[in-house]
Amino acid sequence: MPAATRPSWWGGVPRTLALPAVVAFLTFGSTAFAALRQPYARPLDVLGVVLLVIGPAALVVRRAYPREVVVLAAAAVVVWFGLGYPGSPMPAAAVIALFGATVAGHHHVAAITAATSIAVLAVWTYVAGGTVSWPGVLIVLAWLTVVVAAGVLWRFRRERREQVRAALAEEQRRKAGEERLRIAQELHDVLGHHVSLINVQAGVALFLLDDDPEQARTALAEIKRSSRDLLREMRSTLGVLRGVDAAAPHQPTPGLDRLDALLDDVRAAGLEVTLRTAGDTRPLPTGVDLAAYRIVQESLTNTRRHAGASTATVLIGYRDRELELRVDDDGTGPPAVETTGGNGLLGMTERAHALGGTLEAGAGPDGGYRVRARLPLPEPAEAVVETGDATVRR
């Protein structure tokens, strides 16, 4: 494995040191107890201690070097039993390393290492004049085969989960792209409306500049106001991309002035909706007005289709520097797939973020479901009064 793609050996104290420490403690304790019960075995000396330490110590770097760790731990087991040290859980570290190497994708190395270790140990025992228990060899082989197979299944399940997560992430990116495209189409219409207005007023100003200067001045003031609104909308839509060139719209984009008609349609569909307004109602920038309408519309659509609600309350709050939207219902909220990134909530969130605002959705404080959005508003524009000699600002 190239060093650039090799995972770090350090994964924090619990993941990196806890398992080797537990294995070392159990191995040393069990081996010391086994040495007392097996006086015919080789006494535990310095070499034996080194062999006991090799396995747990190698497990510390098992994440970065799974192949090397399984080979080193297996070699320590072969030497341990080949030299006649007491039988104990000493191979535990090698079994863990075998499983880890298989999970890391090195099942061929793990299988070859396990088979080679058993063969070398059997030959060593035979050459040293000992008795090789072939049924015992087959039992050990069977257990190691189970360990390797478990590692393969574990890796398969992990890869499957990763594939599912990748597919879900790709689906979310696709939905986000489609939603941005839809939002950009509407914002494109808003910008086109302003540009068309500027174009008409500029033509009027040029036509009347010599014959009717006062009317031309009024047209120029309207151009200034429209261009200011246009620049505000352009700033609010940075990051929302669209690659089309469409004609200017022939009808106004929807806004909160059409909210009553929307609520009437929702009531006709069987959902009782109450509208509340807080603060002083005032004209809104076109982008904010459009986003507010769409957020309320999508919230009520989710309520009617998914929440199982009978009543809903819509609050429009006009603050000094922001517009607050709140939709509460007495239902259960949209399904899980919707709350984790479905088209509806995703679209509302994209609209709020495109304007520099926020959107929250979840359980309401008194039960039911709540969608709450906050959309920033620009500072109140100065009043412009046209006079015969100058433009007066108030």
Side-chain angles (χ1 to χ4, degrees):
M1 182 182 299
T5 59
R6 190 188 303 275
S8 173
W9 68 273
W10 180 256
V13 173
R15 296 182 61 185
T16 305
L17 301 180
L19 180 61
V22 171
V23 172
F25 176 78
L26 295 178
T27 299
F28 272 90
S30 301
T31 301
F33 179 76
L36 298 176
R37 302 291 298 270
Q38 303 176 26
Y40 53 85
R42 177 170 175 163
L44 189 62
D45 49 17
V46 175
L47 177 59
V49 173
V50 171
L51 293 174
L52 289 176
V53 170
I54 287 176
L59 291 179
V60 174
V61 295
R62 67 190 183 279
R63 298 177 67 247
Y65 305 96
R67 293 176 297 183
E68 293 83 353
V69 168
V70 69
V71 171
L72 184 60
V77 172
V78 171
V79 175
W80 173 271
F81 286 106
L83 293 178
Y85 284 105
S88 70
M90 186 267 183
V95 173
I96 294 174
L98 185 71
F99 181 81
T102 305
V103 172
H106 307 296
H107 54 278
H108 292 99
V109 175
I112 293 174
T113 300
T116 302
S117 300
I118 293 177
V120 170
L121 186 56
V123 172
W124 189 335
T125 302
Y126 179 78
V127 172
T131 302
V132 178
S133 175
W134 295 110
V137 170
L138 294 177
I139 292 175
V140 173
L141 273 175
W143 276 109
L144 295 181
T145 301
V146 170
V147 172
V148 173
V152 171
L153 291 177
W154 186 279
R155 177 177 176 80
F156 176 79
R157 289 188 58 190
R158 188 177 66 180
E159 290 178 345
R160 179 61 180 169
R161 289 195 299 268
E162 291 175 353
Q163 290 174 357
V164 171
R165 283 196 295 266
L168 290 176
E170 181 62 29
E171 179 68 12
Q172 294 303 322
R173 285 192 293 268
R174 184 187 65 80
K175 289 181 178 180
E178 293 177 352
E179 189 60 32
R180 288 191 183 99
L181 190 65
R182 187 163 66 92
I183 296 171
Q185 172 67 64
E186 295 175 348
L187 294 176
H188 175 272
D189 294 344
V190 171
L191 300 181
H193 174 74
H194 284 295
V195 172
S196 299
L197 182 60
I198 290 173
N199 181 67
V200 172
Q201 293 293 342
V204 172
L206 287 174
F207 182 76
L208 299 175
L209 185 60
D210 295 329
D211 300 333
D212 193 347
E214 295 302 323
Q215 186 66 25
R217 183 179 290 111
T218 301
L220 290 174
E222 182 65 22
I223 289 175
K224 183 175 182 180
R225 185 194 64 80
S226 297
S227 62
R228 183 181 63 242
D229 293 341
L230 175 59
L231 291 174
R232 185 182 299 127
E233 298 302 332
M234 291 179 65
R235 285 194 298 268
S236 70
T237 57
L238 287 177
V240 181
L241 304 178
R242 173 146 175 92
V244 300
D245 183 16
H250 299 286
Q251 59 183 5
T253 54
L256 293 182
D257 58 338
R258 298 176 56 186
L259 191 57
D260 289 336
L262 171 65
L263 298 185
D264 289 340
D265 293 339
V266 174
R267 294 185 184 107
L271 179 65
E272 184 61 33
V273 184
T274 302
L275 176 63
R276 295 170 50 204
T277 304
D280 296 329
T281 304
R282 61 183 185 271
L284 301 172
T286 309
V288 176
D289 202 20
L290 169 64
Y293 178 86
R294 293 302 189 194
I295 289 174
V296 174
Q297 181 186 46
E298 191 63 46
S299 299
L300 293 176
T301 299
N302 285 342
T303 297
R304 186 163 49 85
R305 291 182 179 177
H306 306 301
S310 58
T311 62
T313 302
V314 177
L315 171 67
I316 310 295
Y318 293 87
R319 315 302 181 196
D320 290 339
R321 298 300 304 275
E322 70 177 16
L323 177 71
E324 180 184 5
L325 306 170
R326 201 171 69 204
V327 180
D328 295 288
D329 62 53
D330 58 356
T332 59
V337 64
E338 181 77 10
T339 59
T340 57
N343 284 328
L345 288 178
L346 177 63
M348 291 188 287
T349 303
E350 289 288 342
R351 291 180 188 278
H353 289 177
L355 296 169
T358 61
L359 186 138
E360 302 172 352
D366 302 322
Y369 198 76
R370 166 175 288 183
V371 175
R372 184 179 187 182
R374 294 181 175 180
L375 307 179
L377 296 176
E379 295 182 0
E382 297 174 308
V384 179
V385 178
E386 301 292 339
T387 66
D389 301 321
T391 299
V392 179
R393 300 183 181 276
R394 294 179 179 175

